Amino acid sequence: MGPRGRPRRIRSRPRTIGEYFAAEQPLLVPLPEEPFETGRLSTPRVDRYSQICVRMNRYSVPVRLIGRTVRVMLHASELVVYDGREEVARHERLIARGATRLELDHYLKALIRKPGALPGATALDQARAAGRFTPIHAPGGKPL
């Protein structure tokens, strides 16, 4: 209905909107039962730095995946990484080309073996900048 209680018409068309819809409704198909995937799928290989390259940007994945091929679903605002059916990483999508997003948790197994590498780690710098690593997280509660 229009603002004055009358059936709405588009300009000078012979029928109302409701009449046009009634003619088209039997021709419409039902919505699909399964959701439609809107992301873009790729299968990059994890490099020796535990990173993958997607659309000219680098993202970290757990170190246990070094040398393996993973599945990546790239969405408008995020990137999801799968090893088989298991989700292993989720990152906010980088827009600028040549950027890197590293998650400190992905490197913990490597850093346990090489604790001296932690103070200079790029992943640590990014975690600090995002406010996810504070002095309380450091060994003995002392800043690195």
Side-chain angles (χ1 to χ4, degrees), residues 2 12 31 33 41 46 59 62 65 69 71 73 75 81 87-88 97-98 102 110 112 117 126 128 131 134-135 141 144:
S12 61
L31 292 174
E33 302 258 338
L41 180 67
V46 181
Y59 300 88
L65 300 172
T69 299
R71 282 186 315 112
M73 191 58 69
H75 298 280
V81 183
E87 181 181 318
V88 293
R97 292 182 185 260
L102 306 177
I112 287 170
Q126 285 189 9
R128 280 187 176 137
T134 63
L144 294 175

Side-chain angles (χ1 to χ4, degrees), residues 68-112:
R68 298 194 44 190
T69 299
V70 293
R71 282 186 315 112
V72 174
M73 191 58 69
L74 181 65
H75 298 280
S77 59
E78 72 177 351
L79 171 129
V80 185
V81 183
Y82 298 94
D83 179 33
R85 293 181 179 258
E86 177 191 7
E87 181 181 318
V88 293
R90 184 178 290 261
H91 293 281
E92 182 180 332
R93 183 176 176 178
L94 294 164
I95 302 302
R97 292 182 185 260
T100 304
R101 185 169 309 278
L102 306 177
E103 182 63 46
L104 185 60
D105 289 352
H106 294 157
Y107 295 97
L108 292 180
K109 283 188 178 180
L111 293 171
I112 287 170

Side-chain angles (χ1 to χ4, degrees), residues 1-6 8:
M1 290 287 178
R4 295 188 179 102
R6 291 182 298 206
R8 267 190 74 207

